[in-house]
Amino acid sequence: TTRRVQQRQQQQQKTTREMTTVGGNNNDGLEVSSPSVLEGVVTDRDFSFVKQRGGPHAMAESLASNGKTGLTTAQRSMDGGEGGEGGRAKREETFGKNEFEYPPPKTFLELCWIALEDFTVRILMAAAVVSLGIGAGMKEHREEYGYLEGIAILLVVVVVVLLQSGIDYTKEKKFRQLNSVKDNYNVKVVVDGEVKQIPAGEVLVGDVLELTAGDKIPADC
């Protein structure tokens, strides 16, 4: 228990020290907690860190935002406006885009390889090899075209693998299409004190959201 307390204290001291300025030495005044620190706070539900930093409004200020009026229109623009503050591009470069990263889709050949790993398919392949060996290796079977049985089994294996891989490929493609539709929805964001609707993928770190009952939260919380 004592060791856990010490580790927690060391982590808090580390998170307090880990401060960075978006844009390096540009002196644009956009001081924020580092992405790794914010990720740890959300993952660990570390409310003590939020209290230590002065509460939600103080956290918003450290992100060059405002707990009531949110980000400004200039801050949400790509270049940050005439003031040179960290704009959309700089925030997305530092914290990443508000998009769920799905694993890369499997290729058709990868799906074929997975289908070949099926136990039944392997039994059929082994039976085909044995049948071909006997049919082609033994003279009496070779004269009676005994190897045709092995070839027929191999053709069945090829058809089964191609059909299964085609079905899986189609299912995965439709699944990704459904995910793209599911992730495409609007949320209410406070910009310059006014509520605006924007796509969920355009939400930035420092944005203030307006939520009502039944709304989907476009962020980890």
Side-chain angles (χ1 to χ4, degrees), residues 88-221:
R88 166 182 296 279
K90 189 174 293 184
R91 288 178 184 266
E92 289 182 345
E93 178 184 358
T94 303
F95 299 102
K97 294 184 178 181
N98 191 41
E99 297 176 351
F100 185 81
E101 295 183 1
Y102 294 98
K106 294 182 176 65
T107 64
F108 185 77
L109 291 179
E110 289 176 332
L111 293 174
C112 289
W113 181 258
I114 294 174
L116 286 172
E117 293 178 347
D118 184 78
F119 183 70
T120 303
V121 172
R122 289 188 174 185
I123 291 178
L124 289 174
M125 292 173 63
V129 171
V130 172
S131 180
L132 283 173
I134 295 175
M138 300 180 67
K139 184 178 180 180
E140 59 272 18
H141 288 282
R142 185 167 62 249
E143 292 176 351
E144 296 176 358
Y145 302 101
Y147 54 86
L148 292 179
E149 182 179 350
I151 295 176
I153 297 175
L154 284 179
L155 289 176
V156 170
V157 170
V158 171
V159 171
V160 170
V161 169
L162 291 178
L163 282 177
Q164 185 62 45
S165 302
I167 292 173
D168 291 341
Y169 186 80
T170 302
K171 286 168 57 178
E172 185 165 344
K173 187 176 181 180
K174 289 184 178 179
F175 176 74
R176 291 186 175 276
Q177 290 176 348
L178 289 174
N179 281 334
S180 63
V181 173
K182 180 189 68 175
D183 296 338
N184 186 20
Y185 61 96
N186 290 337
V187 294
K188 297 177 182 177
V189 177
V190 181
V191 181
D192 284 329
E194 298 181 358
V195 179
K196 299 182 179 180
Q197 287 196 356
I198 63 171
E202 295 183 5
V203 174
L204 301 174
V205 172
D207 271 329
V208 176
L209 305 179
E210 181 181 275
L211 300 175
T212 57
D215 285 348
K216 185 177 180 179
I217 302 176
D220 295 330
C221 61

Side-chain angles (χ1 to χ4, degrees), residues 56-70:
H57 288 280
M59 287 286 292
E61 291 179 0
S62 70
L63 293 166
S65 181
N66 186 285
K68 293 184 178 180
T69 60

Side-chain angles (χ1 to χ4, degrees), residues 21-40:
T21 300
V22 177
N25 297 323
N26 292 337
N27 296 324
D28 53 22
L30 183 55
E31 185 185 57
V32 298
S33 299
S34 67
S36 59
V37 173
L38 293 179
E39 182 180 359

